Amino acid sequence: MTLKASLYFAKSLIFPRTQKNTVARKSLYGSILCIALSVVPLIAVLSITTGMINGMTERLIGLSSGHLEVRVANGIEETKTEEKFSAYAKGFESVSGISRAFPEVTLFALGVGKNMRTGAFLRGVPENIFEENQSFKTLFDVIEGDTGCLKEASSVPYAVIGDKMAETLSLKAGDIFRIITTRKAGETVLPKVTSFRVGAIVSSGYQEMDELWIFVPLKAFFRSFTMANASFNILLESQDAFSPSLVALQHKVKKHCGRFANVYRWDQVNAARFENFSSTKVMLVFIMMMIIFVASINISSAIVMLVMERRKEIAILKSTGATPFGITLAFILTGLYCTAAGLLIGVPVGILISVKANELIHFIEWFVNLFKEVRLMDPAYYLQTIPLAIPVKQIIMVIGGTLVLSVFVSLIPSVRAGKEKPSEGLKL
Protein backbone atom coordinates (compact mmCIF):
# COMPACT_ATOMS: atom_id res chain seq x y z
CA MET A 1 0.00 0.00 0.00
CA THR A 2 1.58 3.25 -1.13
CA LEU A 3 1.71 6.50 0.81
CA LYS A 4 -0.68 8.02 -1.72
CA ALA A 5 -3.18 5.24 -1.04
CA SER A 6 -2.87 5.78 2.73
CA LEU A 7 -3.48 9.51 2.27
CA TYR A 8 -6.51 8.79 0.08
CA PHE A 9 -7.93 6.38 2.68
CA ALA A 10 -7.31 8.94 5.46
CA LYS A 11 -9.15 11.54 3.36
CA SER A 12 -12.12 9.21 3.04
CA LEU A 13 -12.11 8.70 6.83
CA ILE A 14 -12.04 12.46 7.48
CA PHE A 15 -14.36 13.57 4.67
CA PRO A 16 -16.66 10.62 3.87
CA ARG A 17 -19.11 10.87 0.99
CA THR A 18 -21.73 8.89 2.92
CA GLN A 19 -22.49 8.16 6.59
CA LYS A 20 -21.62 11.70 7.65
CA ASN A 21 -23.71 11.70 10.83
CA THR A 22 -22.55 8.48 12.45
CA VAL A 23 -21.47 8.17 16.08
CA ALA A 24 -17.82 7.90 15.01
CA ARG A 25 -18.09 11.12 12.96
CA LYS A 26 -19.63 12.95 15.91
CA SER A 27 -16.80 11.64 18.12
CA LEU A 28 -14.22 13.09 15.70
CA TYR A 29 -15.94 16.47 15.76
CA GLY A 30 -16.09 16.29 19.55
CA SER A 31 -12.36 15.53 19.78
CA ILE A 32 -11.60 18.56 17.59
CA LEU A 33 -13.71 20.75 19.86
CA CYS A 34 -12.04 19.34 22.99
CA ILE A 35 -8.56 20.07 21.63
CA ALA A 36 -9.61 23.61 20.70
CA LEU A 37 -11.17 24.27 24.12
CA SER A 38 -8.10 22.94 25.94
CA VAL A 39 -5.61 24.92 23.83
CA VAL A 40 -7.40 28.26 24.34
CA PRO A 41 -6.70 28.52 28.11
CA LEU A 42 -3.15 27.21 27.65
CA ILE A 43 -2.29 29.93 25.13
CA ALA A 44 -4.00 32.55 27.31
CA VAL A 45 -2.16 31.38 30.44
CA LEU A 46 1.19 31.37 28.61
CA SER A 47 0.66 34.86 27.20
CA ILE A 48 -0.82 36.43 30.34
CA THR A 49 1.74 34.95 32.74
CA THR A 50 4.58 35.92 30.38
CA GLY A 51 3.21 39.46 30.19
CA MET A 52 2.76 39.65 33.97
CA ILE A 53 6.25 38.31 34.68
CA ASN A 54 7.79 40.64 32.08
CA GLY A 55 5.94 43.61 33.58
CA MET A 56 6.96 42.75 37.14
CA THR A 57 10.55 42.07 36.04
CA GLU A 58 10.70 45.42 34.24
CA ARG A 59 9.57 47.21 37.41
CA LEU A 60 11.90 45.29 39.70
CA ILE A 61 14.87 46.09 37.47
CA GLY A 62 13.98 49.66 36.58
CA LEU A 63 12.54 50.90 39.88
CA SER A 64 14.25 48.79 42.52
CA SER A 65 17.59 47.15 41.79
CA GLY A 66 18.87 48.61 38.52
CA HIS A 67 20.76 46.36 36.08
CA LEU A 68 23.56 46.19 38.64
CA GLU A 69 23.37 47.25 42.27
CA VAL A 70 26.47 48.40 44.14
CA ARG A 71 26.12 48.10 47.92
CA VAL A 72 28.59 50.45 49.55
CA ALA A 73 29.91 50.00 53.07
CA ASN A 74 28.55 52.50 55.59
CA GLY A 75 31.07 54.73 57.29
CA ILE A 76 33.67 55.14 54.55
CA GLU A 77 34.73 58.61 53.46
CA GLU A 78 32.63 58.49 50.26
CA THR A 79 29.39 58.21 52.26
CA LYS A 80 30.01 61.10 54.68
CA THR A 81 28.15 63.76 52.69
CA GLU A 82 25.68 63.97 49.83
CA GLU A 83 28.27 65.65 47.58
CA LYS A 84 30.90 62.96 48.14
CA PHE A 85 28.44 60.10 47.66
CA SER A 86 27.02 61.62 44.46
CA ALA A 87 30.53 62.16 43.10
CA TYR A 88 31.46 58.58 44.02
CA ALA A 89 28.40 57.27 42.16
CA LYS A 90 29.15 59.48 39.15
CA GLY A 91 32.55 57.82 38.85
CA PHE A 92 30.93 54.51 37.88
CA GLU A 93 29.78 56.06 34.59
CA SER A 94 33.42 55.97 33.46
CA VAL A 95 33.29 52.15 33.47
CA SER A 96 32.86 50.88 29.92
CA GLY A 97 29.36 49.42 29.55
CA ILE A 98 27.71 51.55 32.27
CA SER A 99 25.41 54.22 30.85
CA ARG A 100 23.98 55.80 34.02
CA ALA A 101 24.58 55.63 37.78
CA PHE A 102 22.04 56.75 40.39
CA PRO A 103 23.08 57.05 44.06
CA GLU A 104 20.52 55.96 46.63
CA VAL A 105 20.37 55.85 50.43
CA THR A 106 17.70 53.74 52.10
CA LEU A 107 16.34 53.57 55.62
CA PHE A 108 13.43 51.87 57.37
CA ALA A 109 11.25 54.24 59.35
CA LEU A 110 7.73 54.93 60.58
CA GLY A 111 5.40 57.16 58.57
CA VAL A 112 2.77 59.10 60.50
CA GLY A 113 -0.27 60.65 58.82
CA LYS A 114 -3.38 62.36 60.07
CA ASN A 115 -4.88 59.42 61.91
CA MET A 116 -2.70 56.43 61.06
CA ARG A 117 0.89 55.31 61.04
CA THR A 118 2.66 52.63 59.02
CA GLY A 119 6.08 51.25 58.27
CA ALA A 120 7.95 53.07 55.53
CA PHE A 121 10.94 52.42 53.32
CA LEU A 122 12.73 55.72 52.75
CA ARG A 123 14.69 56.15 49.54
CA GLY A 124 17.01 59.11 49.23
CA VAL A 125 17.39 59.70 45.49
CA PRO A 126 18.73 62.42 43.17
CA GLU A 127 16.19 65.24 42.88
CA ASN A 128 15.89 64.79 39.09
CA ILE A 129 15.55 60.98 39.07
CA PHE A 130 11.94 61.08 37.84
CA GLU A 131 13.13 62.96 34.76
CA GLU A 132 16.50 61.38 34.00
CA ASN A 133 15.79 57.75 34.88
CA GLN A 134 13.73 56.36 32.00
CA SER A 135 12.13 53.64 34.15
CA PHE A 136 11.01 56.13 36.81
CA LYS A 137 9.69 58.36 34.05
CA THR A 138 7.63 55.71 32.23
CA LEU A 139 6.71 53.07 34.81
CA PHE A 140 5.36 55.37 37.52
CA ASP A 141 1.88 56.81 37.06
CA VAL A 142 1.48 60.15 38.81
CA ILE A 143 -1.82 60.03 40.73
CA GLU A 144 -1.56 63.52 42.26
CA GLY A 145 0.94 66.37 42.29
CA ASP A 146 4.18 66.72 40.34
CA THR A 147 7.32 64.62 40.77
CA GLY A 148 9.38 67.69 39.90
CA CYS A 149 8.71 68.81 43.49
CA LEU A 150 11.91 67.07 44.63
CA LYS A 151 13.90 69.90 43.00
CA GLU A 152 12.00 72.63 44.82
CA ALA A 153 13.56 74.34 47.85
CA SER A 154 11.24 74.56 50.86
CA SER A 155 11.40 74.89 54.63
CA VAL A 156 9.48 71.59 54.74
CA PRO A 157 11.15 69.21 52.25
CA TYR A 158 8.99 67.60 49.58
CA ALA A 159 8.61 63.84 49.24
CA VAL A 160 7.03 61.54 46.67
CA ILE A 161 5.00 58.70 48.20
CA GLY A 162 3.29 55.58 46.90
CA ASP A 163 -0.44 55.42 46.29
CA LYS A 164 -0.99 52.76 48.98
CA MET A 165 0.99 54.81 51.51
CA ALA A 166 -1.14 57.87 50.75
CA GLU A 167 -4.32 55.81 51.17
CA THR A 168 -3.18 54.31 54.49
CA LEU A 169 -2.10 57.66 55.95
CA SER A 170 -5.04 59.59 54.40
CA LEU A 171 -2.70 61.97 52.58
CA LYS A 172 -3.12 64.10 49.49
CA ALA A 173 -0.69 66.22 47.52
CA GLY A 174 0.29 69.23 49.65
CA ASP A 175 -0.35 67.56 53.01
CA ILE A 176 2.36 67.43 55.66
CA PHE A 177 3.27 64.12 57.29
CA ARG A 178 5.99 63.00 59.67
CA ILE A 179 8.76 60.42 59.51
CA ILE A 180 9.95 58.89 62.77
CA THR A 181 13.49 57.49 62.83
CA THR A 182 15.97 57.04 65.68
CA ARG A 183 19.11 58.79 66.84
CA LYS A 184 21.64 58.09 69.55
CA ALA A 185 22.34 60.37 72.50
CA GLY A 186 25.24 58.67 74.22
CA GLU A 187 24.01 55.17 74.98
CA THR A 188 20.36 56.17 74.72
CA VAL A 189 18.31 55.64 71.54
CA LEU A 190 15.81 58.43 71.03
CA PRO A 191 13.10 58.99 68.41
CA LYS A 192 13.66 61.65 65.80
CA VAL A 193 10.68 63.26 64.06
CA THR A 194 11.06 64.93 60.65
CA SER A 195 8.25 66.61 58.71
CA PHE A 196 7.80 66.32 54.92
CA ARG A 197 5.25 67.66 52.49
CA VAL A 198 3.60 65.34 49.95
CA GLY A 199 4.73 66.65 46.58
CA ALA A 200 3.36 63.80 44.47
CA ILE A 201 1.57 60.48 44.81
CA VAL A 202 2.69 57.78 42.38
CA SER A 203 1.98 54.15 41.57
CA SER A 204 3.95 51.54 39.67
CA GLY A 205 0.79 49.43 39.32
CA TYR A 206 2.28 46.76 41.59
CA GLN A 207 1.62 47.52 45.28
CA GLU A 208 3.58 44.58 46.64
CA MET A 209 6.69 46.39 45.50
CA ASP A 210 5.97 50.09 46.06
CA GLU A 211 3.45 50.25 48.93
CA LEU A 212 6.07 51.38 51.50
CA TRP A 213 8.22 53.62 49.29
CA ILE A 214 8.84 57.26 50.18
CA PHE A 215 11.20 59.16 47.87
CA VAL A 216 13.15 62.00 49.45
CA PRO A 217 15.75 64.26 47.77
CA LEU A 218 19.25 63.03 48.58
CA LYS A 219 20.27 66.38 50.09
CA ALA A 220 17.26 66.41 52.42
CA PHE A 221 17.94 62.79 53.34
CA PHE A 222 21.50 63.53 54.53
CA ARG A 223 20.30 66.65 56.31
CA SER A 224 17.28 65.08 58.05
CA PHE A 225 18.27 61.58 59.11
CA THR A 226 21.00 59.81 61.05
CA MET A 227 23.09 57.76 58.65
CA ALA A 228 24.19 55.12 61.17
CA ASN A 229 21.46 52.65 60.11
CA ALA A 230 21.23 53.69 56.47
CA SER A 231 22.17 51.55 53.47
CA PHE A 232 24.14 53.11 50.62
CA ASN A 233 23.44 51.79 47.13
CA ILE A 234 24.28 52.80 43.59
CA LEU A 235 21.89 51.66 40.86
CA LEU A 236 23.72 51.13 37.56
CA GLU A 237 22.19 50.93 34.10
CA SER A 238 23.78 49.15 31.14
CA GLN A 239 22.69 48.84 27.53
CA ASP A 240 20.78 45.61 28.14
CA ALA A 241 19.82 44.05 31.47
CA PHE A 242 19.43 40.63 29.80
CA SER A 243 22.78 40.67 27.96
CA PRO A 244 25.05 37.62 28.52
CA SER A 245 27.90 40.12 29.03
CA LEU A 246 26.27 41.45 32.23
CA VAL A 247 28.33 38.96 34.30
CA ALA A 248 31.58 40.29 32.80
CA LEU A 249 30.36 43.84 33.42
CA GLN A 250 29.66 42.92 37.05
CA HIS A 251 33.29 41.83 37.52
CA LYS A 252 34.51 45.01 35.82
CA VAL A 253 32.43 47.17 38.19
CA LYS A 254 33.68 45.17 41.17
CA LYS A 255 37.27 46.00 40.24
CA HIS A 256 36.34 49.66 39.98
CA CYS A 257 34.68 49.93 43.41
CA GLY A 258 37.32 47.98 45.31
CA ARG A 259 36.94 46.25 48.68
CA PHE A 260 34.45 48.68 50.25
CA ALA A 261 31.51 47.61 48.07
CA ASN A 262 29.84 44.53 46.63
CA VAL A 263 28.18 44.34 43.22
CA TYR A 264 25.05 42.30 42.46
CA ARG A 265 23.15 41.64 39.26
CA TRP A 266 19.41 42.27 39.19
CA ASP A 267 18.67 38.52 39.02
CA GLN A 268 20.75 37.96 42.17
CA VAL A 269 19.02 40.75 44.11
CA ASN A 270 15.56 39.45 43.16
CA ALA A 271 16.35 35.73 43.03
CA ALA A 272 13.55 34.68 45.41
CA ARG A 273 10.90 36.63 43.50
CA PHE A 274 11.92 35.23 40.12
CA GLU A 275 12.01 31.69 41.46
CA ASN A 276 8.45 32.21 42.70
CA PHE A 277 7.39 33.64 39.31
CA SER A 278 8.93 30.71 37.42
CA SER A 279 7.49 27.99 39.68
CA THR A 280 4.01 29.53 39.46
CA LYS A 281 4.17 29.68 35.67
CA VAL A 282 5.46 26.09 35.40
CA MET A 283 2.65 24.83 37.65
CA LEU A 284 -0.03 26.65 35.64
CA VAL A 285 1.35 25.38 32.32
CA PHE A 286 1.59 21.84 33.74
CA ILE A 287 -2.09 21.92 34.72
CA MET A 288 -3.06 23.22 31.26
CA MET A 289 -0.97 20.51 29.56
CA MET A 290 -2.76 17.87 31.64
CA ILE A 291 -6.05 19.26 30.34
CA ILE A 292 -4.74 18.91 26.77
CA PHE A 293 -3.65 15.34 27.53
CA VAL A 294 -7.14 14.47 28.78
CA ALA A 295 -8.64 16.12 25.69
CA SER A 296 -6.32 14.06 23.48
CA ILE A 297 -7.73 10.85 24.93
CA ASN A 298 -10.96 11.73 23.06
CA ILE A 299 -9.02 11.36 19.80
CA SER A 300 -8.06 7.81 20.78
CA SER A 301 -11.69 7.01 21.62
CA ALA A 302 -12.91 8.53 18.35
CA ILE A 303 -10.44 6.45 16.32
CA VAL A 304 -11.52 3.27 18.16
CA MET A 305 -15.12 3.97 17.17
CA LEU A 306 -14.05 4.84 13.62
CA VAL A 307 -12.17 1.53 13.33
CA MET A 308 -15.23 -0.38 14.51
CA GLU A 309 -17.37 1.48 11.99
CA ARG A 310 -14.97 0.83 9.09
CA ARG A 311 -14.03 -2.81 9.80
CA LYS A 312 -15.62 -4.07 6.62
CA GLU A 313 -13.89 -1.40 4.54
CA ILE A 314 -10.54 -2.26 6.19
CA ALA A 315 -11.11 -5.95 5.42
CA ILE A 316 -11.80 -5.21 1.75
CA LEU A 317 -8.66 -3.07 1.49
CA LYS A 318 -6.48 -5.72 3.13
CA SER A 319 -7.92 -8.47 0.93
CA THR A 320 -6.93 -6.40 -2.11
CA GLY A 321 -3.32 -5.91 -0.94
CA ALA A 322 -3.36 -3.08 1.60
CA THR A 323 -0.58 -3.42 4.17
CA PRO A 324 -1.07 -3.15 7.97
CA PHE A 325 1.32 -0.17 8.00
CA GLY A 326 -0.69 1.63 5.33
CA ILE A 327 -3.95 1.17 7.29
CA THR A 328 -2.26 2.22 10.54
CA LEU A 329 -0.81 5.33 8.87
CA ALA A 330 -4.23 6.36 7.56
CA PHE A 331 -5.76 6.31 11.04
CA ILE A 332 -2.77 8.11 12.58
CA LEU A 333 -3.19 10.83 9.94
CA THR A 334 -6.85 11.05 10.91
CA GLY A 335 -5.92 11.65 14.54
CA LEU A 336 -3.30 14.18 13.43
CA TYR A 337 -5.93 16.00 11.40
CA CYS A 338 -8.28 16.24 14.41
CA THR A 339 -5.50 17.76 16.49
CA ALA A 340 -4.44 20.16 13.74
CA ALA A 341 -8.05 21.29 13.26
CA GLY A 342 -8.42 21.86 17.01
CA LEU A 343 -5.18 23.85 17.07
CA LEU A 344 -6.30 25.87 14.07
CA ILE A 345 -9.35 26.95 16.06
CA GLY A 346 -7.86 27.15 19.56
CA VAL A 347 -4.56 28.98 18.94
CA PRO A 348 -6.06 32.08 17.23
CA VAL A 349 -8.83 32.28 19.85
CA GLY A 350 -6.25 31.96 22.65
CA ILE A 351 -4.11 34.72 21.12
CA LEU A 352 -7.16 36.95 20.66
CA ILE A 353 -8.11 36.47 24.33
CA SER A 354 -4.52 37.30 25.33
CA VAL A 355 -4.53 40.49 23.27
CA LYS A 356 -7.87 41.56 24.75
CA ALA A 357 -7.11 40.25 28.27
CA ASN A 358 -7.32 43.66 29.98
CA GLU A 359 -10.64 44.51 28.29
CA LEU A 360 -12.09 41.08 29.14
CA ILE A 361 -11.02 41.31 32.79
CA HIS A 362 -12.50 44.80 33.12
CA PHE A 363 -15.76 43.61 31.55
CA ILE A 364 -15.97 40.57 33.87
CA GLU A 365 -15.13 42.79 36.83
CA TRP A 366 -17.86 45.26 35.82
CA PHE A 367 -20.42 42.48 35.40
CA VAL A 368 -19.58 40.76 38.71
CA ASN A 369 -19.66 44.11 40.51
CA LEU A 370 -23.32 44.43 39.56
CA PHE A 371 -23.95 41.77 42.22
CA LYS A 372 -20.94 41.96 44.55
CA GLU A 373 -17.92 44.26 44.67
CA VAL A 374 -14.87 42.34 43.45
CA ARG A 375 -11.48 43.54 42.19
CA LEU A 376 -9.94 40.91 39.95
CA MET A 377 -6.66 42.71 39.21
CA ASP A 378 -5.87 43.92 42.71
CA PRO A 379 -2.48 45.70 42.52
CA ALA A 380 -1.66 44.31 45.95
CA TYR A 381 -1.08 40.95 44.23
CA TYR A 382 -0.90 41.60 40.48
CA LEU A 383 -0.16 44.31 38.00
CA GLN A 384 -3.15 46.58 37.45
CA THR A 385 -2.66 46.30 33.69
CA ILE A 386 -1.34 43.17 32.00
CA PRO A 387 1.43 44.01 29.49
CA LEU A 388 0.87 42.41 26.10
CA ALA A 389 3.32 39.55 25.46
CA ILE A 390 2.80 36.76 22.91
CA PRO A 391 5.46 34.08 23.56
CA VAL A 392 5.84 32.88 19.97
CA LYS A 393 8.51 30.26 20.69
CA GLN A 394 6.51 28.75 23.54
CA ILE A 395 3.34 28.67 21.43
CA ILE A 396 5.22 26.87 18.65
CA MET A 397 6.45 24.35 21.24
CA VAL A 398 2.87 23.85 22.45
CA ILE A 399 1.67 23.26 18.90
CA GLY A 400 4.49 20.79 18.21
CA GLY A 401 4.00 19.01 21.54
CA THR A 402 0.24 18.69 21.00
CA LEU A 403 0.73 17.22 17.52
CA VAL A 404 3.24 14.69 18.86
CA LEU A 405 0.84 13.83 21.67
CA SER A 406 -1.94 13.22 19.14
CA VAL A 407 0.26 10.76 17.26
CA PHE A 408 1.03 9.00 20.54
CA VAL A 409 -2.62 8.60 21.63
CA SER A 410 -3.66 7.58 18.10
CA LEU A 411 -0.99 4.91 17.82
CA ILE A 412 -2.59 2.03 19.76
CA PRO A 413 -6.04 2.05 18.07
CA SER A 414 -4.40 2.69 14.68
CA VAL A 415 -2.05 -0.28 15.08
CA ARG A 416 -5.02 -2.46 16.02
CA ALA A 417 -6.79 -1.28 12.87
CA GLY A 418 -3.78 -2.38 10.84
CA LYS A 419 -3.92 -5.81 12.47
CA GLU A 420 -7.58 -6.38 11.61
CA LYS A 421 -8.08 -9.77 9.88
CA PRO A 422 -9.96 -9.55 6.58
CA SER A 423 -11.90 -12.75 7.31
CA GLU A 424 -13.39 -11.30 10.49
CA GLY A 425 -14.25 -7.97 8.89
CA LEU A 426 -16.02 -9.55 5.89
CA LYS A 427 -18.27 -11.61 8.19
CA LEU A 428 -19.95 -8.39 9.47
Side-chain angles (χ1 to χ4, degrees):
M1 189 175 184
T2 64
L3 176 61
K4 184 177 180 180
S6 295
L7 290 171
Y8 186 81
F9 182 42
K11 182 182 177 182
S12 69
L13 294 173
I14 298 167
F15 306 108
R17 294 181 179 180
T18 59
Q19 297 181 333
K20 295 184 178 182
N21 294 317
T22 62
V23 174
R25 295 296 306 164
K26 291 177 180 178
S27 295
L28 285 178
Y29 294 143
S31 64
I32 292 173
L33 183 61
C34 286
I35 291 292
L37 292 177
S38 62
V39 168
V40 169
L42 176 57
I43 299 298
V45 164
L46 274 175
S47 301
I48 291 172
T49 54
T50 299
M52 292 283 281
I53 291 173
N54 289 349
M56 292 175 181
T57 301
E58 184 182 21
R59 283 159 175 76
L60 287 170
I61 296 173
L63 305 179
S64 180
S65 65
H67 299 182
L68 294 173
E69 181 177 316
V70 181
R71 297 179 180 176
V72 186
N74 194 341
I76 65 173
E77 187 62 30
E78 286 81 356
T79 63
K80 295 294 185 183
T81 65
E82 182 271 332
E83 292 80 6
K84 289 181 179 180
F85 187 50
S86 296
Y88 178 62
K90 188 72 174 176
F92 284 90
E93 295 181 2
S94 64
V95 178
S96 176
I98 298 299
S99 56
R100 294 301 303 270
F102 297 95
E104 177 183 85
V105 187
T106 61
L107 186 66
F108 286 98
L110 186 66
V112 181
K114 296 177 180 179
N115 302 309
M116 291 288 293
R117 61 185 62 188
T118 183
F121 185 63
L122 304 179
R123 298 180 64 180
V125 294
E127 59 187 20
N128 56 1
I129 193 169
F130 282 92
E131 297 173 1
E132 296 194 359
N133 186 305
Q134 193 61 28
S135 296
F136 275 65
K137 187 177 180 179
T138 57
L139 297 179
F140 274 123
D141 290 326
V142 180
I143 310 299
E144 285 185 41
D146 182 3
T147 55
C149 64
L150 296 182
K151 296 184 291 184
E152 296 181 14
S154 175
S155 56
V156 179
Y158 282 100
V160 175
I161 68 174
D163 185 33
K164 180 63 176 178
M165 175 78 68
E167 180 184 335
T168 302
L169 300 181
S170 301
L171 297 174
K172 295 186 177 296
D175 289 348
I176 292 177
F177 68 102
R178 290 168 293 164
I179 296 294
I180 301 177
T181 54
T182 58
R183 62 182 178 86
K184 267 195 171 185
E187 295 299 322
T188 307
V189 178
L190 300 173
K192 182 179 181 181
V193 181
T194 310
S195 295
F196 286 90
R197 188 183 301 277
V198 179
I201 299 172
V202 298
S203 172
S204 69
Y206 185 33
Q207 275 182 13
E208 186 179 334
M209 184 174 69
D210 67 12
E211 63 180 334
L212 301 180
W213 286 354
I214 297 179
F215 296 96
V216 175
L218 204 55
K219 289 180 181 179
F221 198 101
F222 273 85
R223 187 172 62 248
S224 304
F225 305 118
T226 303
M227 295 291 108
N229 297 321
S231 298
F232 294 84
N233 308 310
I234 300 171
L235 308 183
L236 304 178
E237 290 185 355
S238 64
Q239 296 299 321
D240 182 8
F242 301 93
S243 171
S245 62
L246 193 64
V247 176
L249 184 58
Q250 178 186 16
H251 293 305
K252 194 185 298 184
V253 172
K254 175 58 182 173
K255 289 180 181 178
H256 175 84
C257 62
R259 62 191 181 92
F260 294 110
N262 288 317
V263 185
Y264 301 92
R265 299 187 310 276
W266 62 268
D267 55 328
Q268 293 174 317
V269 175
N270 302 294
R273 286 179 182 267
F274 292 121
E275 186 176 342
N276 183 40
F277 292 162
S278 299
S279 60
T280 301
K281 182 177 180 180
V282 168
M283 183 58 65
L284 287 171
V285 172
F286 175 75
I287 293 171
M288 294 299 105
M289 286 301 296
M290 290 301 297
I291 293 174
I292 287 183
F293 177 75
V294 172
S296 299
I297 300 300
N298 289 322
I299 295 177
S300 180
S301 301
I303 290 177
V304 168
M305 298 185 69
L306 192 62
V307 170
M308 293 176 64
E309 188 178 89
R310 296 298 187 99
R311 289 185 70 183
K312 183 173 289 187
E313 190 173 341
I314 293 169
I316 293 172
L317 287 171
K318 294 195 75 173
S319 65
T320 56
T323 61
F325 176 77
I327 300 295
T328 298
L329 181 60
F331 282 97
I332 289 176
L333 290 173
T334 303
L336 200 60
Y337 163 80
C338 292
T339 304
L343 289 170
L344 197 61
I345 298 169
V347 171
V349 173
I351 292 175
L352 180 63
I353 289 175
S354 303
V355 171
K356 298 294 183 180
N358 289 299
E359 290 86 345
L360 286 171
I361 290 172
H362 290 319
F363 173 76
I364 294 171
E365 192 175 80
W366 169 82
F367 181 76
V368 173
N369 284 340
L370 294 176
F371 308 97
K372 184 180 180 181
E373 187 174 351
V374 175
R375 196 170 186 184
L376 298 179
M377 295 304 294
D378 192 331
Y381 310 103
Y382 312 102
L383 291 177
Q384 278 181 305
T385 303
I386 302 171
L388 176 61
I390 305 299
V392 177
K393 291 183 180 179
Q394 294 180 26
I395 290 175
I396 292 173
M397 290 176 63
V398 166
I399 293 172
T402 307
L403 290 172
V404 170
L405 182 62
S406 71
V407 173
F408 176 76
V409 299
S410 303
L411 195 59
I412 294 177
S414 298
V415 169
R416 288 181 178 177
K419 291 181 178 180
E420 284 283 331
K421 295 180 180 180
S423 57
E424 293 182 359
L426 291 173
K427 289 179 183 178
L428 300 175

